[in-house]
Amino acid sequence: METTHIEHIGIAVRNLQKSIDFYEDVLGLKCYNIEEVADQKVRTAFFMAGQTKIELLESTSGDGPVAKFLEKRGEGVHHIAFAVKGVEESLAHARSKGVQTIDQQPRRGAEGLDIAFLHPKSTFGVLTELCEDKNR
Ligand code: CMX
């Protein structure tokens, strides 16, 4: 697998606007995009801190993955996303190494990325996303 960089860090929050206020008013970052990903039942807000992207995640439904995470574990770091070259091949590679994959095939995520998740039980407790921007 060829991993090029951390694409983003995903943080689960209860209230998107209140957390945007913190990132803007306290940390001095600028929210450059808000996007709903219906498939994942989330509304997301994006910031760049230098070269590092932060994705805030608010649940849009009581039964989505972020709602479950908030209920069970509270607010906090939800996942780390790695940019890879060839997300399908990378997913197959992880599976061939015995890693439990949540997605069998990549799907379309926020910002038009092709994304796939590895289960935190297989990745030492960190929900791990593989992603690729095929428009680049
Ligand atoms: N990070 C680390 N551990 C996590 C976790 C996370 N984000 N989410 C759940 N877990 C843990 C649970 O605490 C639980 O641990 P214990 O068994 O020790 O209690 C374990 O994983 C399994 O949890 P579960 O209740 O059986 O499974 P869930 O129904 O909560 O589902 C997961 C967990 C990861 C499979 C599910 O959230 C998922 O499919 N995630 C991928 C999609 C996603 O997260 N989308 C939102 C972001 C989308 C985006 O970035 O655009």
Side-chain angles (χ1 to χ4, degrees):
M1 187 185 309
E2 190 177 343
T3 300
T4 56
H5 58 281
I6 290 182
E7 212 287 328
H8 63 266
I9 297 170
I11 299 174
V13 300
R14 292 192 199 283
N15 184 308
L16 198 65
Q17 191 53 56
K18 279 189 183 160
S19 59
I20 289 172
D21 290 347
F22 166 76
Y23 280 82
E24 291 197 328
D25 299 344
V26 180
L27 295 184
L29 301 176
K30 179 86 193 119
C31 175
Y32 68 86
N33 184 24
I34 293 182
E35 186 179 340
E36 182 161 341
V37 185
D39 176 42
Q40 301 283 320
K41 300 181 177 172
V42 290
R43 216 154 63 88
T44 59
F46 290 95
F47 302 82
M48 290 304 296
Q51 301 205 329
T52 305
K53 189 190 289 177
I54 307 279
E55 177 188 36
L56 302 180
L57 300 151
E58 175 190 69
S59 188
T60 54
S61 150
D63 65 351
V66 169
K68 272 188 98 173
F69 178 87
L70 287 168
E71 191 184 313
K72 215 167 181 181
R73 301 166 72 109
E75 291 177 303
V77 174
H78 178 261
H79 65 268
I80 297 182
F82 293 92
V84 296
K85 289 196 175 156
V87 66
E88 291 89 355
E89 296 79 1
S90 302
L91 193 58
H93 173 73
R95 210 176 292 123
S96 77
K97 292 285 186 184
V99 173
Q100 187 187 338
T101 61
I102 293 170
D103 298 295
Q104 300 315 307
Q105 289 297 324
R107 50 184 153 151
R108 190 49 61 92
E111 299 200 309
L113 299 179
D114 287 314
I115 66 169
F117 284 93
L118 310 181
H119 200 286
K121 289 289 178 198
S122 271
T123 57
F124 305 91
V126 178
L127 176 60
T128 300
E129 180 179 338
L130 305 179
C131 57
E132 183 174 31
D133 186 351
K134 293 206 170 138
N135 299 313
R136 277 203 182 152

